[in-house]
Amino acid sequence: MRSVLILGAGPAGSAAAIAALAESVPVKILEKSRQRRHKVCGEFISPEACGILAELGVWEQFLRLEPTRIRDCVLHFGRLTKKWTLPECGYGLSRYELDGLLLERAVALGATVGHEAVTNNSLGNHFPTDAPGAADKTAIVLATGRKVAAPPGKRLFGFKAHFEGPAADAVELFFFDGSYVGVSCVERGITNVCGIAPESALHTCGFRLDEFVLRSEALAERLRPLSRKFKWLTVGPLVYSRTVRTWVDPNTYPAGDALGFVDPFTGSGILNALLTGWLSGSAAARGLSSQGCVARCGALLGKPYWTSALFRGLLDAGCAEHLAALIPGSWLFRLTRVGRLATYRLCA
Ligand SMILES: Cc1cc2nc3c(=O)[nH]c(=O)nc-3n(C[C@H](O)[C@H](O)[C@H](O)COP(=O)(O)OP(=O)(O)OC[C@H]3O[C@@H](n4cnc5c(N)ncnc54)[C@H](O)[C@@H]3O)c2cc1C
């Protein structure tokens, strides 16, 4: 009997597990972390993700966690501010809660979970028997997140902390010094502050993030009534992908950031992870071509990748502010969304 082995229990891995279990195949998840933890993430959940959360069977529980409804989007470039209302509301929920919710759902449906950092060498230990051909019957969903290796020089790092204070229902992005910092609320009125900055910019203030975030006047003003709840978490180096991965081993189904890492300013990484996790888990369970699955994911994600690569180029060249002044905010948002989702059936 075919089975599915999932590497990584982020949104992509858990969505893949739920999709594979819907095909009635045994599912095992291997996750390197033993405990639930906070992750460096803006924690903005794009409106289109709501339908996928419903398909995954977690929508009611998601709402019970009291995520913040996010209605407006505000971009700050120095003194220039650009504000628009989202076509449908997005949500703010911490990754601590979201990842926990999805994994619990997979386990409730029958997935088993082992805790181990899988390497190519240790992978063979997880096939059900040593019989010839056994490995062919176990499809692997690769959902281990983004690769972290990057050459020194123009390296980018991510950081995040939760703050207490007055809550708001907008996601705000502050652009300065080749960096950006997002501020938005998650559950229980907690404010998440998360950013990405080049190593060179962080270096100039000795990597002291409390100092760094005060470099933008607008951001300093926004943070004034807030107080930090836990120490800054950092991650990196971060390497963006210009396109989605195109080649895969016939028995491996990559999903989420393992397919490619889109610039987080798009606020679509979780959406992409849920969507491609579902597609990969379902294809792996059915024994469909992994190459075909990757091509399908690539067709869906092409637009946000293309737009974010262009925007990053403009940001690096110091032109993003001028372009943003000309383009309506709602266009910017639409250009970073996955393609054809409205007419798309996950179970097709
Ligand atoms: C600074 C920053 C801000 C962001 N902000 C947003 C945002 O506001 N909205 C949004 O939608 N997206 C955002 N993203 C993107 C989003 O976080 C990712 O796209 C999303 O987490 C991808 O999910 P995933 O399941 O593919 O990977 P991950 O969430 O990275 O999960 C991978 C899992 O695999 C496990 N793992 C790794 N290696 C192994 C191994 N060898 N063996 C076993 N387990 C392993 C890890 O422990 C982890 O639990 C942001 C990203 C960054 C860096």
Side-chain angles (χ1 to χ4, degrees), residues 77 80 82 320-328:
F77 296 93
L80 173 85
K82 203 166 187 68
E321 176 178 347
H322 307 296
L323 184 79
L326 298 173
I327 295 184

Side-chain angles (χ1 to χ4, degrees), residues 6-14 30-33 37 39-46 95 99 116-119 142-146 157-160 171 180 184 192 194-196 235 238 255-274 276:
I6 293 174
L7 311 183
S14 294
L30 294 174
E31 162 58 48
K32 72 175 178 186
S33 295
R37 64 197 157 98
K39 287 183 174 171
V40 176
C41 181
E43 303 180 329
F44 168 76
I45 299 169
S46 185
R95 291 293 301 279
D99 289 21
E116 140 178 12
V118 189
T119 59
L142 184 69
T144 47
R146 63 187 177 271
F157 288 86
F159 51 89
K160 161 246 181 96
V171 56
Y180 60 85
S184 59
N192 182 31
C194 175
I196 291 189
V235 71
L238 303 172
D257 283 359
L259 263 172
F261 179 50
V262 72
D263 191 327
F265 91 86
T266 60
S268 63
I270 296 170
L271 165 68
N272 298 352
L274 294 172
T276 58

Side-chain angles (χ1 to χ4, degrees), residues 256-309:
D257 283 359
L259 263 172
F261 179 50
V262 72
D263 191 327
F265 91 86
T266 60
S268 63
I270 296 170
L271 165 68
N272 298 352
L274 294 172
L275 181 59
T276 58
W278 179 279
L279 290 173
S280 300
S282 177
R286 293 186 198 182
L288 303 180
S289 146
S290 59
Q291 203 61 56
C293 182
V294 165
R296 207 169 170 202
C297 294
L300 276 166
L301 305 186
K303 189 154 58 91
Y305 272 75
W306 185 86
T307 310
S308 60

Side-chain angles (χ1 to χ4, degrees), residues 59 121 155 189 211 222 232 251 263 278 298 304 322:
W59 181 241
N121 290 343
R155 301 195 298 184
E211 247 175 66
R222 176 71 182 84
W232 290 102
N251 205 35
D263 191 327
W278 179 279
H322 307 296

